[in-house]
Amino acid sequence: AQKITQTQPGMFVQEKEAVTLDCTYDTSDPSYGLFWYKQPSSGEMIFLIYQGSYDQQNATEGRYSLNFQKARKSANLVISASQLGDSAMYFCAMREGSSASKIIFGSGTRLSIRP
Amino acid sequence: DSGVTQTPKHLITATGQRVTLRCSPRSGDLSVYWYQQSLDQGLQFLIQYYNGEERAKGNILERFSAQQFPDLHSELNLSSLELGDSALYFCASSRGGAGLDTQYFGPGTRLTVL
């Protein structure tokens, strides 16, 4: 069965530092996608970045990059040069290719950026 | 702004009542998904519709139902409401019905059952 684990309930980081949010997953499907979403205190769910299981390179989107280690089944989100506006909940999610409709989410990491 | 719209933004009602949440997907998206986010259960997938047809079911209660209309907007109906149904309900949409399309979320409807 597919599973997503985020082991960091909360993190504090100094502004302008880089931060890594951990995510490990489990699936027996060779085809899957990994997603990161940001949920600020206002409540909306904002898509950040996507990594496909067959992608050869790590995904990047501006200050966000995904450190994809397939053998370790990890998909950590790296935020470079953190900003105060990065303070939010961050969710890792996975969607299997064979049962593609069921995206599952981790429990989230609350990131707080200190000025 | 993801392009997915949800109404209403907030809803307060009493136990035993019935409510309808509405979602309009992004232009061109054929799939609509419903999710429930509560403090104790986290984010739970409820149901997916693709081009008017039910595609997948998750942890949706029998008291809940949904449909997708010909113009692709969707409604989630919650009946015989209980205190535990208080949650943030998200709608998301994606281009296709299968595969690994990214889902874009709406702003959510916060339901409070008193």
mmCIF file of all heavy atoms in Angstrom, chain A residues 1-4 23-35 49-56 66-76 92-104, chain B residues 98-102:
data_model
loop_
_atom_site.group_PDB
_atom_site.id
_atom_site.type_symbol
_atom_site.label_atom_id
_atom_site.label_comp_id
_atom_site.label_asym_id
_atom_site.label_seq_id
_atom_site.Cartn_x
_atom_site.Cartn_y
_atom_site.Cartn_z
ATOM 1 N N ALA A 1 0.841 -1.196 0.000
ATOM 2 C CA ALA A 1 0.000 0.000 0.000
ATOM 3 C C ALA A 1 0.878 1.248 0.000
ATOM 4 O O ALA A 1 1.954 1.265 0.562
ATOM 5 C CB ALA A 1 -0.901 0.009 1.232
ATOM 6 N N GLN A 2 0.353 2.272 -0.640
ATOM 7 C CA GLN A 2 1.134 3.499 -0.722
ATOM 8 C C GLN A 2 1.094 4.247 0.602
ATOM 9 O O GLN A 2 0.102 4.204 1.315
ATOM 10 C CB GLN A 2 0.631 4.380 -1.857
ATOM 11 C CG GLN A 2 -0.843 4.704 -1.814
ATOM 12 C CD GLN A 2 -1.258 5.630 -2.944
ATOM 13 O OE1 GLN A 2 -0.444 6.263 -3.590
ATOM 14 N NE2 GLN A 2 -2.540 5.717 -3.204
ATOM 15 N N LYS A 3 2.210 4.904 0.913
ATOM 16 C CA LYS A 3 2.335 5.586 2.195
ATOM 17 C C LYS A 3 3.285 6.761 2.038
ATOM 18 O O LYS A 3 4.265 6.684 1.307
ATOM 19 C CB LYS A 3 2.877 4.618 3.247
ATOM 20 C CG LYS A 3 2.903 5.158 4.658
ATOM 21 C CD LYS A 3 3.429 4.095 5.613
ATOM 22 C CE LYS A 3 3.522 4.640 7.022
ATOM 23 N NZ LYS A 3 4.079 3.645 7.960
ATOM 24 N N ILE A 4 2.983 7.842 2.738
ATOM 25 C CA ILE A 4 3.832 9.028 2.741
ATOM 26 C C ILE A 4 4.152 9.377 4.185
ATOM 27 O O ILE A 4 3.236 9.419 5.020
ATOM 28 C CB ILE A 4 3.118 10.221 2.087
ATOM 29 C CG1 ILE A 4 3.052 10.057 0.590
ATOM 30 C CG2 ILE A 4 3.803 11.523 2.436
ATOM 31 C CD1 ILE A 4 4.298 10.456 -0.136
ATOM 32 N N CYS A 23 10.698 13.949 3.319
ATOM 33 C CA CYS A 23 9.538 13.168 2.894
ATOM 34 C C CYS A 23 10.025 11.807 2.423
ATOM 35 O O CYS A 23 10.914 11.721 1.564
ATOM 36 C CB CYS A 23 8.801 13.876 1.762
ATOM 37 S SG CYS A 23 7.462 12.903 1.025
ATOM 38 N N THR A 24 9.487 10.759 2.992
ATOM 39 C CA THR A 24 9.753 9.420 2.479
ATOM 40 C C THR A 24 8.437 8.792 2.072
ATOM 41 O O THR A 24 7.376 9.162 2.576
ATOM 42 C CB THR A 24 10.455 8.527 3.514
ATOM 43 O OG1 THR A 24 9.636 8.443 4.686
ATOM 44 C CG2 THR A 24 11.814 9.064 3.875
ATOM 45 N N TYR A 25 8.522 7.870 1.143
ATOM 46 C CA TYR A 25 7.305 7.285 0.601
ATOM 47 C C TYR A 25 7.488 5.793 0.428
ATOM 48 O O TYR A 25 8.616 5.287 0.455
ATOM 49 C CB TYR A 25 6.936 7.956 -0.721
ATOM 50 C CG TYR A 25 7.993 7.799 -1.793
ATOM 51 C CD1 TYR A 25 7.952 6.733 -2.689
ATOM 52 C CD2 TYR A 25 9.036 8.707 -1.898
ATOM 53 C CE1 TYR A 25 8.918 6.577 -3.655
ATOM 54 C CE2 TYR A 25 10.016 8.561 -2.868
ATOM 55 C CZ TYR A 25 9.952 7.497 -3.744
ATOM 56 O OH TYR A 25 10.920 7.342 -4.697
ATOM 57 N N ASP A 26 6.391 5.122 0.228
ATOM 58 C CA ASP A 26 6.434 3.698 -0.019
ATOM 59 C C ASP A 26 5.376 3.344 -1.049
ATOM 60 O O ASP A 26 4.219 3.744 -0.910
ATOM 61 C CB ASP A 26 6.188 2.908 1.273
ATOM 62 C CG ASP A 26 6.514 1.439 1.111
ATOM 63 O OD1 ASP A 26 7.277 1.093 0.181
ATOM 64 O OD2 ASP A 26 6.007 0.624 1.899
ATOM 65 N N THR A 27 5.776 2.620 -2.053
ATOM 66 C CA THR A 27 4.857 2.161 -3.090
ATOM 67 C C THR A 27 5.484 0.998 -3.823
ATOM 68 O O THR A 27 6.713 0.900 -3.895
ATOM 69 C CB THR A 27 4.525 3.289 -4.080
ATOM 70 O OG1 THR A 27 3.654 2.781 -5.091
ATOM 71 C CG2 THR A 27 5.768 3.853 -4.734
ATOM 72 N N SER A 28 4.640 0.148 -4.354
ATOM 73 C CA SER A 28 5.126 -0.969 -5.165
ATOM 74 C C SER A 28 4.909 -0.693 -6.652
ATOM 75 O O SER A 28 5.315 -1.482 -7.501
ATOM 76 C CB SER A 28 4.413 -2.263 -4.773
ATOM 77 O OG SER A 28 3.017 -2.100 -4.888
ATOM 78 N N ASP A 29 4.295 0.436 -6.956
ATOM 79 C CA ASP A 29 4.036 0.809 -8.343
ATOM 80 C C ASP A 29 5.281 1.497 -8.915
ATOM 81 O O ASP A 29 5.764 2.455 -8.313
ATOM 82 C CB ASP A 29 2.832 1.763 -8.391
ATOM 83 C CG ASP A 29 2.281 1.932 -9.793
ATOM 84 O OD1 ASP A 29 3.064 1.864 -10.765
ATOM 85 O OD2 ASP A 29 1.067 2.149 -9.914
ATOM 86 N N PRO A 30 5.813 1.040 -10.042
ATOM 87 C CA PRO A 30 7.006 1.686 -10.595
ATOM 88 C C PRO A 30 6.719 3.068 -11.173
ATOM 89 O O PRO A 30 7.633 3.862 -11.366
ATOM 90 C CB PRO A 30 7.442 0.713 -11.706
ATOM 91 C CG PRO A 30 6.191 -0.010 -12.074
ATOM 92 C CD PRO A 30 5.383 -0.125 -10.832
ATOM 93 N N SER A 31 5.444 3.342 -11.415
ATOM 94 C CA SER A 31 5.065 4.640 -11.967
ATOM 95 C C SER A 31 4.319 5.441 -10.905
ATOM 96 O O SER A 31 3.267 5.015 -10.430
ATOM 97 C CB SER A 31 4.168 4.442 -13.196
ATOM 98 O OG SER A 31 3.665 5.676 -13.650
ATOM 99 N N TYR A 32 4.877 6.581 -10.540
ATOM 100 C CA TYR A 32 4.228 7.399 -9.521
ATOM 101 C C TYR A 32 4.722 8.834 -9.643
ATOM 102 O O TYR A 32 5.723 9.115 -10.305
ATOM 103 C CB TYR A 32 4.489 6.874 -8.100
ATOM 104 C CG TYR A 32 5.945 6.662 -7.766
ATOM 105 C CD1 TYR A 32 6.709 7.694 -7.216
ATOM 106 C CD2 TYR A 32 6.547 5.436 -8.005
ATOM 107 C CE1 TYR A 32 8.036 7.496 -6.918
ATOM 108 C CE2 TYR A 32 7.883 5.227 -7.711
ATOM 109 C CZ TYR A 32 8.632 6.256 -7.164
ATOM 110 O OH TYR A 32 9.946 6.052 -6.873
ATOM 111 N N GLY A 33 3.983 9.709 -9.024
ATOM 112 C CA GLY A 33 4.362 11.115 -8.994
ATOM 113 C C GLY A 33 4.424 11.603 -7.560
ATOM 114 O O GLY A 33 3.657 11.161 -6.711
ATOM 115 N N LEU A 34 5.331 12.523 -7.323
ATOM 116 C CA LEU A 34 5.500 13.102 -5.992
ATOM 117 C C LEU A 34 5.262 14.603 -6.089
ATOM 118 O O LEU A 34 5.732 15.251 -7.032
ATOM 119 C CB LEU A 34 6.901 12.821 -5.464
ATOM 120 C CG LEU A 34 7.172 11.327 -5.253
ATOM 121 C CD1 LEU A 34 8.657 11.037 -5.337
ATOM 122 C CD2 LEU A 34 6.601 10.855 -3.939
ATOM 123 N N PHE A 35 4.527 15.132 -5.155
ATOM 124 C CA PHE A 35 4.119 16.535 -5.180
ATOM 125 C C PHE A 35 4.417 17.178 -3.828
ATOM 126 O O PHE A 35 4.341 16.525 -2.792
ATOM 127 C CB PHE A 35 2.607 16.656 -5.425
ATOM 128 C CG PHE A 35 2.109 15.954 -6.658
ATOM 129 C CD1 PHE A 35 1.862 14.582 -6.650
ATOM 130 C CD2 PHE A 35 1.865 16.659 -7.825
ATOM 131 C CE1 PHE A 35 1.389 13.930 -7.781
ATOM 132 C CE2 PHE A 35 1.388 16.019 -8.958
ATOM 133 C CZ PHE A 35 1.154 14.660 -8.932
ATOM 134 N N ILE A 49 5.758 21.925 -6.576
ATOM 135 C CA ILE A 49 6.703 21.216 -7.416
ATOM 136 C C ILE A 49 6.279 19.766 -7.578
ATOM 137 O O ILE A 49 5.606 19.206 -6.715
ATOM 138 C CB ILE A 49 8.123 21.314 -6.796
ATOM 139 C CG1 ILE A 49 9.208 20.971 -7.819
ATOM 140 C CG2 ILE A 49 8.237 20.486 -5.532
ATOM 141 C CD1 ILE A 49 10.608 21.385 -7.341
ATOM 142 N N TYR A 50 6.658 19.179 -8.733
ATOM 143 C CA TYR A 50 6.297 17.805 -9.069
ATOM 144 C C TYR A 50 7.535 17.041 -9.536
ATOM 145 O O TYR A 50 8.378 17.587 -10.258
ATOM 146 C CB TYR A 50 5.244 17.807 -10.176
ATOM 147 C CG TYR A 50 5.059 16.469 -10.859
ATOM 148 C CD1 TYR A 50 4.282 15.482 -10.270
ATOM 149 C CD2 TYR A 50 5.679 16.190 -12.077
ATOM 150 C CE1 TYR A 50 4.115 14.249 -10.888
ATOM 151 C CE2 TYR A 50 5.523 14.962 -12.692
ATOM 152 C CZ TYR A 50 4.737 13.997 -12.095
ATOM 153 O OH TYR A 50 4.579 12.775 -12.697
ATOM 154 N N GLN A 51 7.604 15.765 -9.138
ATOM 155 C CA GLN A 51 8.671 14.875 -9.605
ATOM 156 C C GLN A 51 8.052 13.560 -10.029
ATOM 157 O O GLN A 51 7.337 12.934 -9.234
ATOM 158 C CB GLN A 51 9.683 14.625 -8.477
ATOM 159 C CG GLN A 51 10.826 13.688 -8.824
ATOM 160 C CD GLN A 51 11.969 14.399 -9.499
ATOM 161 O OE1 GLN A 51 12.364 15.492 -9.108
ATOM 162 N NE2 GLN A 51 12.548 13.789 -10.515
ATOM 163 N N GLY A 52 8.291 13.132 -11.245
ATOM 164 C CA GLY A 52 7.814 11.838 -11.704
ATOM 165 C C GLY A 52 8.843 10.766 -11.430
ATOM 166 O O GLY A 52 10.054 11.031 -11.434
ATOM 167 N N SER A 53 8.373 9.544 -11.236
ATOM 168 C CA SER A 53 9.288 8.464 -10.864
ATOM 169 C C SER A 53 10.287 8.149 -11.963
ATOM 170 O O SER A 53 11.367 7.606 -11.698
ATOM 171 C CB SER A 53 8.501 7.205 -10.499
ATOM 172 O OG SER A 53 7.698 6.772 -11.584
ATOM 173 N N TYR A 54 9.970 8.474 -13.196
ATOM 174 C CA TYR A 54 10.878 8.190 -14.302
ATOM 175 C C TYR A 54 11.717 9.392 -14.715
ATOM 176 O O TYR A 54 12.517 9.306 -15.646
ATOM 177 C CB TYR A 54 10.093 7.673 -15.512
ATOM 178 C CG TYR A 54 9.431 6.330 -15.262
ATOM 179 C CD1 TYR A 54 8.049 6.189 -15.336
ATOM 180 C CD2 TYR A 54 10.185 5.207 -14.948
ATOM 181 C CE1 TYR A 54 7.441 4.965 -15.109
ATOM 182 C CE2 TYR A 54 9.592 3.981 -14.724
ATOM 183 C CZ TYR A 54 8.223 3.858 -14.805
ATOM 184 O OH TYR A 54 7.625 2.645 -14.581
ATOM 185 N N ASP A 55 11.522 10.503 -14.015
ATOM 186 C CA ASP A 55 12.303 11.691 -14.348
ATOM 187 C C ASP A 55 13.765 11.463 -13.960
ATOM 188 O O ASP A 55 14.054 11.022 -12.841
ATOM 189 C CB ASP A 55 11.764 12.917 -13.609
ATOM 190 C CG ASP A 55 10.379 13.310 -14.096
ATOM 191 O OD1 ASP A 55 9.995 12.850 -15.199
ATOM 192 O OD2 ASP A 55 9.700 14.070 -13.388
ATOM 193 N N GLN A 56 14.662 11.787 -14.869
ATOM 194 C CA GLN A 56 16.081 11.554 -14.629
ATOM 195 C C GLN A 56 16.710 12.642 -13.776
ATOM 196 O O GLN A 56 17.677 12.405 -13.059
ATOM 197 C CB GLN A 56 16.818 11.469 -15.973
ATOM 198 C CG GLN A 56 16.419 10.263 -16.819
ATOM 199 C CD GLN A 56 16.763 8.956 -16.136
ATOM 200 O OE1 GLN A 56 17.873 8.761 -15.646
ATOM 201 N NE2 GLN A 56 15.797 8.059 -16.068
ATOM 202 N N LEU A 66 13.557 19.664 -5.595
ATOM 203 C CA LEU A 66 13.177 18.396 -4.990
ATOM 204 C C LEU A 66 14.386 17.478 -5.058
ATOM 205 O O LEU A 66 14.862 17.185 -6.154
ATOM 206 C CB LEU A 66 11.961 17.812 -5.732
ATOM 207 C CG LEU A 66 11.116 16.810 -4.966
ATOM 208 C CD1 LEU A 66 9.678 16.821 -5.451
ATOM 209 C CD2 LEU A 66 11.699 15.413 -5.084
ATOM 210 N N ASN A 67 14.849 17.043 -3.930
ATOM 211 C CA ASN A 67 15.983 16.119 -3.850
ATOM 212 C C ASN A 67 15.412 14.706 -3.879
ATOM 213 O O ASN A 67 15.003 14.154 -2.853
ATOM 214 C CB ASN A 67 16.766 16.375 -2.565
ATOM 215 C CG ASN A 67 18.017 15.500 -2.492
ATOM 216 O OD1 ASN A 67 18.283 14.708 -3.405
ATOM 217 N ND2 ASN A 67 18.765 15.634 -1.427
ATOM 218 N N PHE A 68 15.381 14.131 -5.077
ATOM 219 C CA PHE A 68 14.735 12.840 -5.320
ATOM 220 C C PHE A 68 15.785 11.736 -5.257
ATOM 221 O O PHE A 68 16.688 11.697 -6.093
ATOM 222 C CB PHE A 68 14.045 12.860 -6.685
ATOM 223 C CG PHE A 68 13.309 11.600 -7.048
ATOM 224 C CD1 PHE A 68 12.479 10.960 -6.141
ATOM 225 C CD2 PHE A 68 13.430 11.075 -8.328
ATOM 226 C CE1 PHE A 68 11.786 9.812 -6.490
ATOM 227 C CE2 PHE A 68 12.736 9.920 -8.697
ATOM 228 C CZ PHE A 68 11.916 9.289 -7.775
ATOM 229 N N GLN A 69 15.645 10.863 -4.262
ATOM 230 C CA GLN A 69 16.538 9.718 -4.132
ATOM 231 C C GLN A 69 15.678 8.470 -4.205
ATOM 232 O O GLN A 69 15.127 8.008 -3.191
ATOM 233 C CB GLN A 69 17.326 9.800 -2.836
ATOM 234 C CG GLN A 69 18.216 11.034 -2.773
ATOM 235 C CD GLN A 69 19.153 11.008 -1.583
ATOM 236 O OE1 GLN A 69 19.685 9.964 -1.208
ATOM 237 N NE2 GLN A 69 19.379 12.168 -0.986
ATOM 238 N N LYS A 70 15.597 7.929 -5.412
ATOM 239 C CA LYS A 70 14.646 6.858 -5.688
ATOM 240 C C LYS A 70 14.942 5.601 -4.878
ATOM 241 O O LYS A 70 14.040 4.949 -4.360
ATOM 242 C CB LYS A 70 14.671 6.549 -7.186
ATOM 243 C CG LYS A 70 13.504 5.770 -7.703
ATOM 244 C CD LYS A 70 13.521 5.777 -9.230
ATOM 245 C CE LYS A 70 12.338 5.016 -9.786
ATOM 246 N NZ LYS A 70 12.305 5.082 -11.268
ATOM 247 N N ALA A 71 16.204 5.233 -4.777
ATOM 248 C CA ALA A 71 16.560 4.007 -4.063
ATOM 249 C C ALA A 71 16.201 4.109 -2.582
ATOM 250 O O ALA A 71 15.816 3.126 -1.957
ATOM 251 C CB ALA A 71 18.046 3.721 -4.227
ATOM 252 N N ARG A 72 16.309 5.306 -2.039
ATOM 253 C CA ARG A 72 15.970 5.519 -0.634
ATOM 254 C C ARG A 72 14.497 5.846 -0.458
ATOM 255 O O ARG A 72 14.031 6.010 0.665
ATOM 256 C CB ARG A 72 16.796 6.669 -0.066
ATOM 257 C CG ARG A 72 18.264 6.399 0.019
ATOM 258 C CD ARG A 72 18.969 7.538 0.735
ATOM 259 N NE ARG A 72 20.393 7.284 0.873
ATOM 260 C CZ ARG A 72 21.224 8.067 1.550
ATOM 261 N NH1 ARG A 72 20.771 9.148 2.142
ATOM 262 N NH2 ARG A 72 22.504 7.770 1.627
ATOM 263 N N LYS A 73 13.785 6.010 -1.554
ATOM 264 C CA LYS A 73 12.372 6.394 -1.523
ATOM 265 C C LYS A 73 12.183 7.676 -0.715
ATOM 266 O O LYS A 73 11.357 7.746 0.202
ATOM 267 C CB LYS A 73 11.501 5.258 -0.983
ATOM 268 C CG LYS A 73 11.469 4.042 -1.918
ATOM 269 C CD LYS A 73 10.443 3.012 -1.501
ATOM 270 C CE LYS A 73 10.355 1.899 -2.530
ATOM 271 N NZ LYS A 73 9.383 0.861 -2.177
ATOM 272 N N SER A 74 12.994 8.653 -1.058
ATOM 273 C CA SER A 74 12.827 9.945 -0.396
ATOM 274 C C SER A 74 12.676 11.047 -1.438
ATOM 275 O O SER A 74 13.219 10.958 -2.555
ATOM 276 C CB SER A 74 13.995 10.245 0.537
ATOM 277 O OG SER A 74 15.137 10.618 -0.187
ATOM 278 N N ALA A 75 11.944 12.077 -1.060
ATOM 279 C CA ALA A 75 11.647 13.195 -1.978
ATOM 280 C C ALA A 75 11.627 14.473 -1.152
ATOM 281 O O ALA A 75 10.562 15.046 -0.916
ATOM 282 C CB ALA A 75 10.315 12.960 -2.676
ATOM 283 N N ASN A 76 12.790 14.896 -0.730
ATOM 284 C CA ASN A 76 12.874 16.048 0.161
ATOM 285 C C ASN A 76 12.751 17.356 -0.602
ATOM 286 O O ASN A 76 13.301 17.511 -1.698
ATOM 287 C CB ASN A 76 14.202 16.039 0.918
ATOM 288 C CG ASN A 76 14.346 14.811 1.791
ATOM 289 O OD1 ASN A 76 13.361 14.162 2.157
ATOM 290 N ND2 ASN A 76 15.583 14.472 2.127
ATOM 291 N N CYS A 92 3.808 16.845 1.623
ATOM 292 C CA CYS A 92 4.312 15.970 0.575
ATOM 293 C C CYS A 92 3.161 15.040 0.184
ATOM 294 O O CYS A 92 2.384 14.612 1.044
ATOM 295 C CB CYS A 92 5.494 15.177 1.110
ATOM 296 S SG CYS A 92 6.230 14.015 -0.041
ATOM 297 N N ALA A 93 3.043 14.755 -1.089
ATOM 298 C CA ALA A 93 1.948 13.902 -1.555
ATOM 299 C C ALA A 93 2.439 12.988 -2.659
ATOM 300 O O ALA A 93 3.415 13.286 -3.345
ATOM 301 C CB ALA A 93 0.781 14.755 -2.058
ATOM 302 N N MET A 94 1.760 11.878 -2.816
ATOM 303 C CA MET A 94 2.136 10.906 -3.846
ATOM 304 C C MET A 94 0.882 10.398 -4.550
ATOM 305 O O MET A 94 -0.178 10.245 -3.944
ATOM 306 C CB MET A 94 2.867 9.718 -3.220
ATOM 307 C CG MET A 94 3.261 8.653 -4.238
ATOM 308 S SD MET A 94 4.211 7.323 -3.505
ATOM 309 C CE MET A 94 2.969 6.537 -2.524
ATOM 310 N N ARG A 95 1.077 10.105 -5.818
ATOM 311 C CA ARG A 95 -0.019 9.564 -6.615
ATOM 312 C C ARG A 95 0.562 8.441 -7.467
ATOM 313 O O ARG A 95 1.510 8.664 -8.215
ATOM 314 C CB ARG A 95 -0.583 10.675 -7.485
ATOM 315 C CG ARG A 95 -1.917 10.414 -8.093
ATOM 316 C CD ARG A 95 -2.326 11.652 -8.854
ATOM 317 N NE ARG A 95 -3.614 11.492 -9.490
ATOM 318 C CZ ARG A 95 -4.047 12.232 -10.497
ATOM 319 N NH1 ARG A 95 -3.289 13.191 -10.981
ATOM 320 N NH2 ARG A 95 -5.219 12.027 -11.009
ATOM 321 N N GLU A 96 0.011 7.240 -7.333
ATOM 322 C CA GLU A 96 0.485 6.113 -8.111
ATOM 323 C C GLU A 96 -0.076 6.178 -9.518
ATOM 324 O O GLU A 96 -1.204 6.621 -9.719
ATOM 325 C CB GLU A 96 0.091 4.794 -7.445
ATOM 326 C CG GLU A 96 0.832 4.529 -6.143
ATOM 327 C CD GLU A 96 0.346 3.272 -5.452
ATOM 328 O OE1 GLU A 96 -0.787 2.843 -5.709
ATOM 329 O OE2 GLU A 96 1.111 2.719 -4.636
ATOM 330 N N GLY A 97 0.709 5.688 -10.463
ATOM 331 C CA GLY A 97 0.265 5.739 -11.841
ATOM 332 C C GLY A 97 -0.868 4.779 -12.130
ATOM 333 O O GLY A 97 -1.757 5.052 -12.908
ATOM 334 N N SER A 98 -0.837 3.614 -11.483
ATOM 335 C CA SER A 98 -1.838 2.592 -11.793
ATOM 336 C C SER A 98 -3.172 2.887 -11.132
ATOM 337 O O SER A 98 -4.206 2.469 -11.605
ATOM 338 C CB SER A 98 -1.330 1.218 -11.361
ATOM 339 O OG SER A 98 -1.040 1.217 -9.983
ATOM 340 N N SER A 99 -3.173 3.553 -10.029
ATOM 341 C CA SER A 99 -4.435 3.974 -9.397
ATOM 342 C C SER A 99 -4.349 5.478 -9.240
ATOM 343 O O SER A 99 -4.370 6.009 -8.141
ATOM 344 C CB SER A 99 -4.640 3.273 -8.049
ATOM 345 O OG SER A 99 -3.566 3.545 -7.173
ATOM 346 N N ALA A 100 -4.251 6.114 -10.381
ATOM 347 C CA ALA A 100 -3.757 7.485 -10.413
ATOM 348 C C ALA A 100 -4.635 8.484 -9.705
ATOM 349 O O ALA A 100 -4.195 9.567 -9.381
ATOM 350 C CB ALA A 100 -3.557 7.909 -11.860
ATOM 351 N N SER A 101 -5.863 8.103 -9.487
ATOM 352 C CA SER A 101 -6.741 9.110 -8.928
ATOM 353 C C SER A 101 -6.544 9.355 -7.453
ATOM 354 O O SER A 101 -6.954 10.375 -6.946
ATOM 355 C CB SER A 101 -8.192 8.687 -9.158
ATOM 356 O OG SER A 101 -8.457 8.571 -10.509
ATOM 357 N N LYS A 102 -5.927 8.426 -6.756
ATOM 358 C CA LYS A 102 -5.878 8.544 -5.303
ATOM 359 C C LYS A 102 -4.561 9.148 -4.876
ATOM 360 O O LYS A 102 -3.572 8.444 -4.724
ATOM 361 C CB LYS A 102 -6.081 7.175 -4.658
ATOM 362 C CG LYS A 102 -7.450 6.597 -4.946
ATOM 363 C CD LYS A 102 -7.659 5.260 -4.261
ATOM 364 C CE LYS A 102 -9.016 4.704 -4.643
ATOM 365 N NZ LYS A 102 -9.266 3.389 -4.009
ATOM 366 N N ILE A 103 -4.558 10.433 -4.707
ATOM 367 C CA ILE A 103 -3.384 11.096 -4.166
ATOM 368 C C ILE A 103 -3.453 11.008 -2.646
ATOM 369 O O ILE A 103 -4.513 11.192 -2.052
ATOM 370 C CB ILE A 103 -3.313 12.562 -4.651
ATOM 371 C CG1 ILE A 103 -2.014 13.238 -4.218
ATOM 372 C CG2 ILE A 103 -4.507 13.362 -4.209
ATOM 373 C CD1 ILE A 103 -1.790 14.593 -4.873
ATOM 374 N N ILE A 104 -2.355 10.670 -2.018
ATOM 375 C CA ILE A 104 -2.313 10.626 -0.554
ATOM 376 C C ILE A 104 -1.307 11.659 -0.066
ATOM 377 O O ILE A 104 -0.311 11.948 -0.723
ATOM 378 C CB ILE A 104 -1.967 9.232 -0.009
ATOM 379 C CG1 ILE A 104 -0.581 8.778 -0.477
ATOM 380 C CG2 ILE A 104 -3.028 8.214 -0.392
ATOM 381 C CD1 ILE A 104 -0.057 7.617 0.308
ATOM 382 N N ALA B 98 -6.722 10.412 -15.546
ATOM 383 C CA ALA B 98 -5.807 9.393 -15.040
ATOM 384 C C ALA B 98 -4.402 9.903 -15.265
ATOM 385 O O ALA B 98 -4.200 11.050 -15.628
ATOM 386 C CB ALA B 98 -6.038 8.077 -15.765
ATOM 387 N N GLY B 99 -3.436 9.081 -15.032
ATOM 388 C CA GLY B 99 -2.069 9.537 -15.175
ATOM 389 C C GLY B 99 -1.652 10.395 -13.995
ATOM 390 O O GLY B 99 -2.257 10.349 -12.930
ATOM 391 N N LEU B 100 -0.651 11.199 -14.182
ATOM 392 C CA LEU B 100 -0.024 11.898 -13.060
ATOM 393 C C LEU B 100 -0.153 13.410 -13.211
ATOM 394 O O LEU B 100 0.761 14.152 -12.898
ATOM 395 C CB LEU B 100 1.432 11.462 -12.949
ATOM 396 C CG LEU B 100 1.605 9.955 -12.708
ATOM 397 C CD1 LEU B 100 3.061 9.551 -12.773
ATOM 398 C CD2 LEU B 100 1.001 9.549 -11.377
ATOM 399 N N ASP B 101 -1.317 13.855 -13.670
ATOM 400 C CA ASP B 101 -1.548 15.293 -13.777
ATOM 401 C C ASP B 101 -1.488 15.948 -12.417
ATOM 402 O O ASP B 101 -1.971 15.405 -11.427
ATOM 403 C CB ASP B 101 -2.929 15.571 -14.368
ATOM 404 C CG ASP B 101 -3.026 15.152 -15.817
ATOM 405 O OD1 ASP B 101 -1.982 14.954 -16.448
ATOM 406 O OD2 ASP B 101 -4.161 15.030 -16.313
ATOM 407 N N THR B 102 -0.951 17.125 -12.380
ATOM 408 C CA THR B 102 -0.950 17.904 -11.150
ATOM 409 C C THR B 102 -2.365 18.346 -10.829
ATOM 410 O O THR B 102 -3.119 18.751 -11.714
ATOM 411 C CB THR B 102 -0.048 19.129 -11.315
ATOM 412 O OG1 THR B 102 1.297 18.674 -11.494
ATOM 413 C CG2 THR B 102 -0.105 20.023 -10.078
#
